[in-house]
Short mmCIF file of all heavy atoms in Angstrom, two decimals:
data_model
loop_
_atom_site.label_atom_id
_atom_site.label_comp_id
_atom_site.label_asym_id
_atom_site.label_seq_id
_atom_site.Cartn_x
_atom_site.Cartn_y
_atom_site.Cartn_z
N MET A 1 120.59 10.53 67.11
CA MET A 1 119.33 9.76 67.03
C MET A 1 118.15 10.62 67.45
O MET A 1 118.09 11.13 68.56
CB MET A 1 119.41 8.56 67.99
CG MET A 1 120.22 7.40 67.41
SD MET A 1 119.83 5.92 68.26
CE MET A 1 121.33 5.00 67.96
N GLU A 2 117.19 10.72 66.57
CA GLU A 2 115.99 11.50 66.90
C GLU A 2 114.79 10.57 66.97
O GLU A 2 114.70 9.61 66.21
CB GLU A 2 115.76 12.56 65.83
CG GLU A 2 116.99 13.43 65.66
CD GLU A 2 116.56 14.85 65.37
OE1 GLU A 2 115.35 15.09 65.22
OE2 GLU A 2 117.44 15.72 65.31
N PRO A 3 113.90 10.83 67.88
CA PRO A 3 112.68 10.01 67.94
C PRO A 3 111.80 10.26 66.72
O PRO A 3 111.75 11.37 66.21
CB PRO A 3 111.98 10.49 69.22
CG PRO A 3 112.52 11.86 69.45
CD PRO A 3 113.92 11.88 68.88
N THR A 4 111.14 9.23 66.26
CA THR A 4 110.23 9.43 65.14
C THR A 4 109.00 10.16 65.62
O THR A 4 108.62 10.08 66.78
CB THR A 4 109.82 8.07 64.54
OG1 THR A 4 109.28 7.28 65.56
CG2 THR A 4 111.02 7.37 63.93
N GLN A 5 108.35 10.87 64.71
CA GLN A 5 107.24 11.72 65.15
C GLN A 5 105.95 10.95 65.35
O GLN A 5 104.93 11.50 65.71
CB GLN A 5 107.03 12.84 64.16
CG GLN A 5 106.65 12.33 62.77
CD GLN A 5 106.61 13.47 61.77
OE1 GLN A 5 107.18 14.51 62.03
NE2 GLN A 5 105.95 13.29 60.66
N GLU A 6 105.98 9.65 65.12
CA GLU A 6 104.73 8.90 65.26
C GLU A 6 104.33 8.71 66.72
O GLU A 6 103.20 8.42 67.04
CB GLU A 6 104.85 7.53 64.61
CG GLU A 6 105.85 6.63 65.33
CD GLU A 6 106.05 5.34 64.55
OE1 GLU A 6 106.81 5.33 63.58
OE2 GLU A 6 105.41 4.35 64.92
N SER A 7 105.28 8.94 67.64
CA SER A 7 104.95 8.73 69.05
C SER A 7 104.09 9.86 69.61
O SER A 7 103.25 9.63 70.46
CB SER A 7 106.23 8.59 69.87
OG SER A 7 107.00 9.77 69.72
N VAL A 8 104.30 11.08 69.13
CA VAL A 8 103.54 12.20 69.65
C VAL A 8 102.97 13.05 68.51
O VAL A 8 103.61 13.97 68.05
CB VAL A 8 104.40 13.11 70.55
CG1 VAL A 8 103.54 14.24 71.13
CG2 VAL A 8 105.07 12.30 71.66
N PRO A 9 101.78 12.71 68.06
CA PRO A 9 101.13 13.54 67.04
C PRO A 9 100.72 14.87 67.65
O PRO A 9 100.18 14.91 68.76
CB PRO A 9 99.91 12.72 66.61
CG PRO A 9 99.64 11.79 67.76
CD PRO A 9 100.97 11.55 68.43
N ASP A 10 101.00 15.96 66.97
CA ASP A 10 100.69 17.26 67.57
C ASP A 10 99.46 17.93 66.95
O ASP A 10 99.15 19.06 67.21
CB ASP A 10 101.89 18.19 67.46
CG ASP A 10 102.32 18.38 66.01
OD1 ASP A 10 101.65 17.86 65.11
OD2 ASP A 10 103.33 19.07 65.80
N ASP A 11 98.76 17.18 66.11
CA ASP A 11 97.57 17.78 65.49
C ASP A 11 96.29 17.44 66.23
O ASP A 11 95.23 17.93 65.91
CB ASP A 11 97.47 17.38 64.02
CG ASP A 11 97.39 15.88 63.87
OD1 ASP A 11 97.34 15.18 64.90
OD2 ASP A 11 97.36 15.40 62.73
N GLY A 12 96.39 16.58 67.22
CA GLY A 12 95.21 16.26 68.03
C GLY A 12 94.23 15.33 67.35
O GLY A 12 93.20 15.02 67.90
N ALA A 13 94.55 14.87 66.16
CA ALA A 13 93.62 14.02 65.43
C ALA A 13 93.88 12.55 65.69
O ALA A 13 93.13 11.71 65.23
CB ALA A 13 93.70 14.31 63.94
N GLY A 14 94.92 12.27 66.41
CA GLY A 14 95.29 10.87 66.59
C GLY A 14 94.80 10.27 67.89
O GLY A 14 95.39 9.36 68.41
N VAL A 15 93.71 10.79 68.44
CA VAL A 15 93.21 10.27 69.70
C VAL A 15 92.69 8.86 69.51
O VAL A 15 91.95 8.58 68.58
CB VAL A 15 92.07 11.17 70.22
CG1 VAL A 15 91.52 10.62 71.54
CG2 VAL A 15 92.57 12.59 70.41
N ALA A 16 93.07 7.99 70.38
CA ALA A 16 92.62 6.60 70.28
C ALA A 16 91.11 6.52 70.46
O ALA A 16 90.58 7.04 71.44
CB ALA A 16 93.32 5.76 71.34
N PRO A 17 90.43 5.89 69.54
CA PRO A 17 88.96 5.83 69.62
C PRO A 17 88.48 5.01 70.80
O PRO A 17 87.37 5.17 71.27
CB PRO A 17 88.56 5.17 68.29
CG PRO A 17 89.79 4.48 67.81
CD PRO A 17 90.96 5.24 68.37
N SER A 18 89.34 4.14 71.32
CA SER A 18 88.92 3.30 72.43
C SER A 18 89.02 4.02 73.77
O SER A 18 88.42 3.62 74.75
CB SER A 18 89.75 2.02 72.46
OG SER A 18 91.11 2.35 72.62
N ALA A 19 89.78 5.10 73.81
CA ALA A 19 89.95 5.82 75.06
C ALA A 19 88.64 6.45 75.51
O ALA A 19 88.21 6.30 76.64
CB ALA A 19 91.01 6.89 74.91
N THR A 20 87.99 7.15 74.58
CA THR A 20 86.70 7.72 74.89
C THR A 20 85.75 7.43 73.75
O THR A 20 86.13 7.50 72.60
CB THR A 20 86.80 9.25 75.07
OG1 THR A 20 87.37 9.81 73.89
CG2 THR A 20 87.64 9.62 76.28
N ALA A 21 84.54 7.09 74.08
CA ALA A 21 83.54 6.85 73.04
C ALA A 21 82.78 8.14 72.79
O ALA A 21 82.01 8.57 73.62
CB ALA A 21 82.58 5.75 73.47
N PRO A 22 83.03 8.78 71.68
CA PRO A 22 82.40 10.07 71.41
C PRO A 22 80.90 9.96 71.16
O PRO A 22 80.16 10.86 71.48
CB PRO A 22 83.13 10.57 70.16
CG PRO A 22 83.67 9.34 69.50
CD PRO A 22 83.90 8.34 70.60
N LEU A 23 80.48 8.84 70.60
CA LEU A 23 79.07 8.69 70.27
C LEU A 23 78.39 7.74 71.24
O LEU A 23 78.95 6.72 71.61
CB LEU A 23 78.92 8.15 68.85
CG LEU A 23 79.50 9.04 67.74
CD1 LEU A 23 79.38 8.33 66.41
CD2 LEU A 23 78.77 10.37 67.69
N ALA A 24 77.18 8.08 71.61
CA ALA A 24 76.33 7.17 72.39
C ALA A 24 77.05 6.51 73.53
O ALA A 24 77.42 5.35 73.45
CB ALA A 24 75.73 6.12 71.48
N PRO A 25 77.28 7.18 74.60
CA PRO A 25 77.94 6.59 75.77
C PRO A 25 77.16 5.42 76.32
O PRO A 25 77.35 4.32 75.89
CB PRO A 25 77.99 7.75 76.78
CG PRO A 25 77.26 8.90 76.19
CD PRO A 25 76.83 8.55 74.80
N ALA A 26 76.25 5.64 77.20
CA ALA A 26 75.39 4.56 77.69
C ALA A 26 73.97 5.07 77.62
O ALA A 26 73.56 5.91 78.42
CB ALA A 26 75.77 4.15 79.09
N ARG A 27 73.24 4.59 76.68
CA ARG A 27 71.89 5.08 76.52
C ARG A 27 70.93 4.30 77.40
O ARG A 27 71.22 3.21 77.85
CB ARG A 27 71.47 4.96 75.06
CG ARG A 27 72.50 5.58 74.15
CD ARG A 27 71.93 5.90 72.82
NE ARG A 27 71.06 7.06 72.89
CZ ARG A 27 70.54 7.65 71.83
NH1 ARG A 27 70.78 7.20 70.65
NH2 ARG A 27 69.76 8.70 71.96
N THR A 28 69.80 4.91 77.61
CA THR A 28 68.82 4.31 78.51
C THR A 28 68.51 2.89 78.12
O THR A 28 68.44 2.00 78.95
CB THR A 28 67.52 5.13 78.46
OG1 THR A 28 67.83 6.47 78.78
CG2 THR A 28 66.51 4.58 79.46
N ARG A 29 68.35 2.67 76.83
CA ARG A 29 67.92 1.35 76.39
C ARG A 29 68.94 0.26 76.68
O ARG A 29 68.61 -0.91 76.80
CB ARG A 29 67.59 1.37 74.91
CG ARG A 29 68.82 1.57 74.02
CD ARG A 29 68.36 1.63 72.58
NE ARG A 29 69.50 1.65 71.67
CZ ARG A 29 69.63 2.55 70.69
NH1 ARG A 29 68.73 3.47 70.54
NH2 ARG A 29 70.65 2.49 69.89
N GLN A 30 70.21 0.68 76.81
CA GLN A 30 71.24 -0.33 77.04
C GLN A 30 71.31 -0.75 78.50
O GLN A 30 72.00 -1.68 78.85
CB GLN A 30 72.59 0.22 76.57
CG GLN A 30 72.60 0.38 75.07
CD GLN A 30 73.84 1.11 74.57
OE1 GLN A 30 74.28 2.07 75.18
NE2 GLN A 30 74.38 0.67 73.47
N THR A 31 70.59 -0.05 79.34
CA THR A 31 70.56 -0.43 80.74
C THR A 31 69.34 -1.29 81.06
O THR A 31 69.19 -1.76 82.17
CB THR A 31 70.54 0.82 81.64
OG1 THR A 31 69.29 1.49 81.45
CG2 THR A 31 71.66 1.77 81.28
N LEU A 32 68.48 -1.45 80.08
CA LEU A 32 67.27 -2.21 80.32
C LEU A 32 67.54 -3.71 80.25
O LEU A 32 68.33 -4.15 79.43
CB LEU A 32 66.23 -1.85 79.26
CG LEU A 32 65.73 -0.42 79.25
CD1 LEU A 32 64.93 -0.19 77.97
CD2 LEU A 32 64.88 -0.14 80.46
N PRO A 33 66.87 -4.47 81.06
CA PRO A 33 66.97 -5.92 80.92
C PRO A 33 66.05 -6.40 79.81
O PRO A 33 64.97 -5.85 79.64
CB PRO A 33 66.49 -6.43 82.28
CG PRO A 33 65.53 -5.38 82.75
CD PRO A 33 66.02 -4.07 82.18
N PRO A 34 66.45 -7.40 79.05
CA PRO A 34 65.55 -7.97 78.08
C PRO A 34 64.34 -8.57 78.79
O PRO A 34 64.48 -9.18 79.84
CB PRO A 34 66.38 -9.08 77.42
CG PRO A 34 67.80 -8.74 77.71
CD PRO A 34 67.78 -8.03 79.04
N LYS A 35 63.17 -8.35 78.28
CA LYS A 35 61.98 -8.85 78.97
C LYS A 35 61.14 -9.77 78.11
O LYS A 35 60.03 -10.12 78.47
CB LYS A 35 61.14 -7.68 79.48
CG LYS A 35 60.54 -6.84 78.36
CD LYS A 35 59.60 -5.79 78.94
CE LYS A 35 58.86 -5.05 77.83
NZ LYS A 35 57.88 -4.09 78.38
N GLY A 36 61.68 -10.17 76.97
CA GLY A 36 60.94 -11.09 76.12
C GLY A 36 59.97 -10.41 75.18
O GLY A 36 59.23 -11.05 74.47
N ALA A 37 60.00 -9.07 75.21
CA ALA A 37 59.15 -8.32 74.29
C ALA A 37 59.81 -6.98 74.03
O ALA A 37 60.63 -6.52 74.81
CB ALA A 37 57.76 -8.13 74.89
N CYS A 38 59.41 -6.36 72.95
CA CYS A 38 59.96 -5.05 72.63
C CYS A 38 59.53 -4.04 73.68
O CYS A 38 58.35 -3.95 74.02
CB CYS A 38 59.47 -4.63 71.25
SG CYS A 38 60.03 -3.00 70.75
N TRP A 39 60.48 -3.30 74.19
CA TRP A 39 60.16 -2.30 75.22
C TRP A 39 59.32 -1.17 74.66
O TRP A 39 58.67 -0.44 75.40
CB TRP A 39 61.45 -1.73 75.81
CG TRP A 39 62.02 -2.57 76.90
CD1 TRP A 39 62.84 -3.65 76.76
CD2 TRP A 39 61.83 -2.42 78.31
NE1 TRP A 39 63.14 -4.18 77.98
CE2 TRP A 39 62.56 -3.43 78.96
CE3 TRP A 39 61.11 -1.51 79.09
CZ2 TRP A 39 62.57 -3.58 80.34
CZ3 TRP A 39 61.14 -1.65 80.48
CH2 TRP A 39 61.85 -2.67 81.08
N TYR A 40 59.36 -1.01 73.37
CA TYR A 40 58.63 0.11 72.78
C TYR A 40 57.24 -0.29 72.32
O TYR A 40 56.25 0.33 72.67
CB TYR A 40 59.44 0.70 71.63
CG TYR A 40 58.82 1.94 71.06
CD1 TYR A 40 58.80 3.11 71.83
CD2 TYR A 40 58.26 1.95 69.80
CE1 TYR A 40 58.23 4.26 71.32
CE2 TYR A 40 57.69 3.10 69.29
CZ TYR A 40 57.67 4.26 70.06
OH TYR A 40 57.10 5.39 69.57
N CYS A 41 57.16 -1.34 71.52
CA CYS A 41 55.86 -1.70 70.95
C CYS A 41 55.30 -2.99 71.52
O CYS A 41 54.21 -3.40 71.15
CB CYS A 41 55.96 -1.78 69.43
SG CYS A 41 56.94 -3.17 68.83
N ASP A 42 56.07 -3.63 72.42
CA ASP A 42 55.58 -4.83 73.11
C ASP A 42 55.41 -6.04 72.21
O ASP A 42 54.75 -6.99 72.57
CB ASP A 42 54.26 -4.53 73.83
CG ASP A 42 54.41 -4.69 75.33
OD1 ASP A 42 55.56 -4.77 75.81
OD2 ASP A 42 53.38 -4.74 76.02
N LYS A 43 56.03 -6.01 71.09
CA LYS A 43 56.01 -7.18 70.23
C LYS A 43 56.86 -8.28 70.85
O LYS A 43 57.96 -7.99 71.33
CB LYS A 43 56.56 -6.78 68.86
CG LYS A 43 56.59 -7.88 67.83
CD LYS A 43 57.12 -7.29 66.54
CE LYS A 43 57.64 -8.39 65.63
NZ LYS A 43 58.20 -7.81 64.39
N PRO A 44 56.39 -9.51 70.86
CA PRO A 44 57.16 -10.60 71.47
C PRO A 44 58.51 -10.81 70.79
O PRO A 44 58.61 -10.77 69.57
CB PRO A 44 56.27 -11.83 71.25
CG PRO A 44 54.89 -11.28 71.08
CD PRO A 44 55.06 -9.94 70.40
N LEU A 45 59.53 -10.99 71.63
CA LEU A 45 60.89 -11.20 71.12
C LEU A 45 61.52 -12.35 71.87
O LEU A 45 60.96 -12.86 72.84
CB LEU A 45 61.74 -9.94 71.36
CG LEU A 45 61.33 -8.67 70.64
CD1 LEU A 45 62.16 -7.51 71.15
CD2 LEU A 45 61.50 -8.82 69.15
N ASP A 46 62.70 -12.74 71.44
CA ASP A 46 63.44 -13.72 72.21
C ASP A 46 63.97 -13.07 73.49
O ASP A 46 63.84 -11.86 73.68
CB ASP A 46 64.56 -14.36 71.39
CG ASP A 46 65.56 -13.33 70.89
OD1 ASP A 46 65.96 -12.47 71.70
OD2 ASP A 46 65.93 -13.37 69.71
N ASN A 47 64.60 -13.86 74.33
CA ASN A 47 64.94 -13.36 75.66
C ASN A 47 66.22 -12.56 75.74
O ASN A 47 66.64 -12.20 76.83
CB ASN A 47 65.02 -14.54 76.64
CG ASN A 47 63.64 -15.04 76.99
OD1 ASN A 47 62.67 -14.28 76.99
ND2 ASN A 47 63.52 -16.33 77.28
N VAL A 48 66.86 -12.31 74.64
CA VAL A 48 68.10 -11.55 74.70
C VAL A 48 67.97 -10.18 74.04
O VAL A 48 68.86 -9.35 74.13
CB VAL A 48 69.28 -12.31 74.05
CG1 VAL A 48 69.52 -13.61 74.80
CG2 VAL A 48 69.01 -12.57 72.58
N ARG A 49 66.84 -9.93 73.41
CA ARG A 49 66.69 -8.66 72.72
C ARG A 49 65.74 -7.76 73.48
O ARG A 49 64.84 -8.23 74.17
CB ARG A 49 66.16 -8.89 71.31
CG ARG A 49 67.12 -9.72 70.49
CD ARG A 49 66.55 -9.98 69.11
NE ARG A 49 66.44 -8.75 68.35
CZ ARG A 49 65.76 -8.65 67.21
NH1 ARG A 49 65.13 -9.67 66.72
NH2 ARG A 49 65.72 -7.51 66.58
N ARG A 50 65.95 -6.45 73.35
CA ARG A 50 65.08 -5.49 74.03
C ARG A 50 64.11 -4.83 73.05
O ARG A 50 63.07 -4.36 73.45
CB ARG A 50 65.92 -4.41 74.68
CG ARG A 50 66.95 -4.95 75.66
CD ARG A 50 67.78 -3.81 76.21
NE ARG A 50 68.91 -4.29 76.98
CZ ARG A 50 70.09 -4.57 76.45
NH1 ARG A 50 70.30 -4.43 75.17
NH2 ARG A 50 71.06 -5.00 77.20
N PHE A 51 64.53 -4.78 71.80
CA PHE A 51 63.70 -4.11 70.79
C PHE A 51 63.65 -4.95 69.53
O PHE A 51 64.61 -5.65 69.21
CB PHE A 51 64.27 -2.72 70.47
CG PHE A 51 64.28 -1.81 71.66
CD1 PHE A 51 65.41 -1.68 72.44
CD2 PHE A 51 63.14 -1.10 72.01
CE1 PHE A 51 65.43 -0.85 73.55
CE2 PHE A 51 63.15 -0.27 73.11
CZ PHE A 51 64.29 -0.14 73.88
N CYS A 52 62.53 -4.84 68.82
CA CYS A 52 62.41 -5.66 67.61
C CYS A 52 63.27 -5.12 66.49
O CYS A 52 63.72 -5.87 65.64
CB CYS A 52 60.95 -5.78 67.19
SG CYS A 52 60.05 -4.24 67.07
N ASP A 53 63.51 -3.83 66.48
CA ASP A 53 64.43 -3.29 65.48
C ASP A 53 64.98 -1.94 65.94
O ASP A 53 64.60 -1.42 67.00
CB ASP A 53 63.78 -3.17 64.11
CG ASP A 53 62.53 -2.31 64.16
OD1 ASP A 53 62.45 -1.42 65.03
OD2 ASP A 53 61.63 -2.52 63.33
N LYS A 54 65.86 -1.38 65.13
CA LYS A 54 66.52 -0.15 65.53
C LYS A 54 65.55 1.02 65.64
O LYS A 54 65.73 1.91 66.45
CB LYS A 54 67.61 0.15 64.50
CG LYS A 54 68.49 1.32 64.89
CD LYS A 54 69.60 1.52 63.87
CE LYS A 54 70.51 2.67 64.31
NZ LYS A 54 69.76 3.92 64.49
N GLU A 55 64.52 0.98 64.83
CA GLU A 55 63.57 2.08 64.88
C GLU A 55 62.86 2.13 66.23
O GLU A 55 62.63 3.20 66.79
CB GLU A 55 62.55 1.95 63.76
CG GLU A 55 63.14 2.38 62.43
CD GLU A 55 62.14 2.24 61.29
OE1 GLU A 55 60.93 2.27 61.55
OE2 GLU A 55 62.59 2.12 60.15
N CYS A 56 62.49 0.99 66.73
CA CYS A 56 61.85 0.95 68.05
C CYS A 56 62.83 1.43 69.13
O CYS A 56 62.46 2.18 70.02
CB CYS A 56 61.38 -0.47 68.36
SG CYS A 56 59.74 -0.83 67.69
N ALA A 57 64.07 0.98 69.02
CA ALA A 57 65.06 1.39 70.02
C ALA A 57 65.26 2.90 69.99
O ALA A 57 65.29 3.55 71.03
CB ALA A 57 66.38 0.67 69.73
N ASP A 58 65.37 3.44 68.79
CA ASP A 58 65.56 4.90 68.67
C ASP A 58 64.34 5.65 69.19
O ASP A 58 64.45 6.65 69.89
CB ASP A 58 65.83 5.26 67.22
CG ASP A 58 67.24 4.87 66.79
OD1 ASP A 58 68.06 4.58 67.68
OD2 ASP A 58 67.52 4.86 65.60
N ALA A 59 63.18 5.16 68.85
CA ALA A 59 61.96 5.82 69.29
C ALA A 59 61.84 5.78 70.81
O ALA A 59 61.44 6.76 71.45
CB ALA A 59 60.74 5.15 68.65
N PHE A 60 62.22 4.66 71.37
CA PHE A 60 62.18 4.53 72.82
C PHE A 60 63.13 5.53 73.47
O PHE A 60 62.78 6.24 74.41
CB PHE A 60 62.57 3.10 73.20
CG PHE A 60 62.50 2.84 74.68
CD1 PHE A 60 61.32 2.43 75.28
CD2 PHE A 60 63.63 2.99 75.48
CE1 PHE A 60 61.26 2.18 76.64
CE2 PHE A 60 63.57 2.74 76.84
CZ PHE A 60 62.39 2.34 77.41
N ASP A 61 64.33 5.62 72.94
CA ASP A 61 65.31 6.57 73.47
C ASP A 61 64.80 7.99 73.36
O ASP A 61 64.96 8.80 74.26
CB ASP A 61 66.62 6.44 72.72
CG ASP A 61 67.54 5.43 73.38
OD1 ASP A 61 67.25 5.03 74.51
OD2 ASP A 61 68.54 5.06 72.77
N GLU A 62 64.19 8.30 72.24
CA GLU A 62 63.68 9.66 72.06
C GLU A 62 62.64 9.99 73.11
O GLU A 62 62.63 11.06 73.70
CB GLU A 62 63.08 9.79 70.66
CG GLU A 62 64.09 10.31 69.67
CD GLU A 62 63.49 10.37 68.28
OE1 GLU A 62 62.32 10.75 68.15
OE2 GLU A 62 64.22 10.04 67.33
N GLU A 63 61.75 9.06 73.36
CA GLU A 63 60.74 9.31 74.37
C GLU A 63 61.37 9.55 75.74
O GLU A 63 60.97 10.41 76.48
CB GLU A 63 59.77 8.12 74.46
CG GLU A 63 58.75 8.15 73.37
CD GLU A 63 57.59 7.22 73.69
OE1 GLU A 63 57.61 6.59 74.75
OE2 GLU A 63 56.67 7.15 72.87
N LYS A 64 62.38 8.75 76.04
CA LYS A 64 63.06 8.92 77.33
C LYS A 64 63.73 10.28 77.42
O LYS A 64 63.71 10.92 78.46
CB LYS A 64 64.10 7.81 77.52
CG LYS A 64 63.50 6.46 77.77
CD LYS A 64 62.72 6.46 79.07
CE LYS A 64 62.01 5.13 79.25
NZ LYS A 64 60.99 5.16 80.29
N GLU A 65 64.31 10.70 76.33
CA GLU A 65 64.95 12.01 76.35
C GLU A 65 63.94 13.11 76.63
O GLU A 65 64.18 14.02 77.39
CB GLU A 65 65.60 12.28 74.98
CG GLU A 65 66.78 11.37 74.67
CD GLU A 65 67.96 11.65 75.59
OE1 GLU A 65 68.27 12.83 75.80
OE2 GLU A 65 68.58 10.70 76.10
N TYR A 66 62.78 12.99 76.03
CA TYR A 66 61.80 14.06 76.16
C TYR A 66 61.06 14.03 77.49
O TYR A 66 60.51 15.03 77.92
CB TYR A 66 60.76 13.94 75.03
CG TYR A 66 61.36 14.17 73.67
CD1 TYR A 66 60.87 13.52 72.55
CD2 TYR A 66 62.42 15.07 73.50
CE1 TYR A 66 61.42 13.73 71.30
CE2 TYR A 66 62.97 15.27 72.26
CZ TYR A 66 62.47 14.61 71.17
OH TYR A 66 63.01 14.81 69.93
N THR A 67 61.05 12.90 78.14
CA THR A 67 60.28 12.81 79.38
C THR A 67 61.16 12.84 80.60
O THR A 67 60.73 12.54 81.70
CB THR A 67 59.45 11.50 79.39
OG1 THR A 67 60.32 10.39 79.22
CG2 THR A 67 58.42 11.51 78.27
N ARG A 68 62.39 13.18 80.43
CA ARG A 68 63.31 13.26 81.55
C ARG A 68 62.85 14.27 82.59
O ARG A 68 62.48 15.37 82.24
CB ARG A 68 64.66 13.67 81.05
CG ARG A 68 65.67 12.62 81.23
CD ARG A 68 67.04 13.02 80.84
NE ARG A 68 67.14 13.96 79.74
CZ ARG A 68 68.31 14.23 79.14
NH1 ARG A 68 69.36 13.63 79.51
NH2 ARG A 68 68.38 15.08 78.17
ZN1 LIG B 1 59.22 -2.82 68.59
#
């Protein structure tokens, strides 16, 4: 009886994606509390959102990166 090779992949490509998040660990914007307005452009929002859209979120992150 031999073990099947599915238990130990030797090419290193079978890393579980849930073990480590390769992209975007914890960005600044995800630590912000929702304040009822966009953190970037101050446009009024509901109380669970931080940014009106992805562009604002990305722009906000970029500014944070540059002003560190
Ligand atoms: Zn905005």
Side-chain angles (χ1 to χ4, degrees):
M1 280 199 205
E2 305 216 355
T4 55
Q5 62 187 19
E6 67 186 80
S7 59
V8 183
D10 58 4
D11 59 4
V15 179
S18 60
T20 56
L23 299 175
R27 309 200 74 172
T28 304
R29 68 183 187 230
Q30 292 171 320
T31 67
L32 297 169
K35 66 174 187 176
C38 178
W39 276 84
Y40 186 69
C41 69
D42 243 13
K43 181 178 160 182
L45 296 172
D46 59 45
N47 285 330
V48 299
R49 298 178 66 193
R50 303 177 190 88
F51 298 95
C52 51
D53 57 28
K54 187 177 182 302
E55 283 180 24
C56 274
D58 286 346
F60 182 87
D61 270 348
E62 267 177 40
E63 280 196 1
K64 289 296 175 194
E65 292 292 316
Y66 294 148
T67 57
R68 245 184 327 191

